[in-house]
Amino acid sequence: DAGVIQSPRHEVTEMGQEVTLRCKPISGHDYLFWYRQTMMRGLELLIYFNNNVPIDDSGMPEDRFSAKMPNASFSTLKIQPSEPRDSAVYFCASSPFFVGASQPQHFGDGTRLSIL
Amino acid sequence: TQLLEQSPQFLSIQEGENLTVYCNSSSVFSSLQWYRQEPGEGPVLLVTVVTGGEVKKLKRLTFQFGDARKDSSLHITAAQPGDTGLYLCAGAHRGGSQGNLIFGKGTKLSVKP
């Protein structure tokens, strides 16, 4: 089975530009998560979806960030306008639903974003 | 906000040595997961511990969940260069949303040949 697929793997752009990160979760997984990872702050949850519905977006840093999940097989994270402090590795993860124990999360390989 | 603190932050050892890394919190977690992340890749799940006092072994890796379910440790016996990576612990909060995990900042392990 294919894992979580993220694109692009690397993105370098100038501040002020719109950035769109893409994610295809594992088929059949009901949960999708967007994380940001930096040396200073570690892995931070930005937002997560259950059955395509956003459940918790309290980690989204500002209104410049938005995320959508139009269907079960695709999600986007947009930053507009981008700023140098947004530079980080952005991960998408998905997990199956089951009750009674925490769910394993399956991560993509990330998008390394550099805002100049 | 519940925090998971991991220690040490960095660890550099020689091949063959033993080591233990820690994951501590003031909060109770219903379960705790350990992940390993290699450069340029996403974290990969190693193990999930659920019961207080539980011990799980994965080859040379031994994971323990504290009796009060507030802390956990990972012990590696006879470390090898292939063990190099960032080790992350993540807790699921009892009563919280089923989807949400709280991650620590990780322990970066380097095993030199």
Side-chain angles (χ1 to χ4, degrees), chain B residues 4-19:
Chain B
L4 273 170
E5 296 188 2
Q6 292 191 243
S7 62
Q9 208 173 342
F10 301 96
L11 188 56
S12 182
I13 60 172
Q14 292 294 131
E15 181 176 1
E17 292 183 16
N18 300 332
L19 67 114

Side-chain angles (χ1 to χ4, degrees), chain A residues 19-21 34 46 60 65-67 75-79 90:
Chain A
V19 173
T20 300
L21 311 181
W34 281 102
L46 300 177
M60 296 286 261
F65 286 69
S66 63
S75 177
T76 59
L77 178 67
K78 283 190 180 180
I79 308 173
Y90 290 80

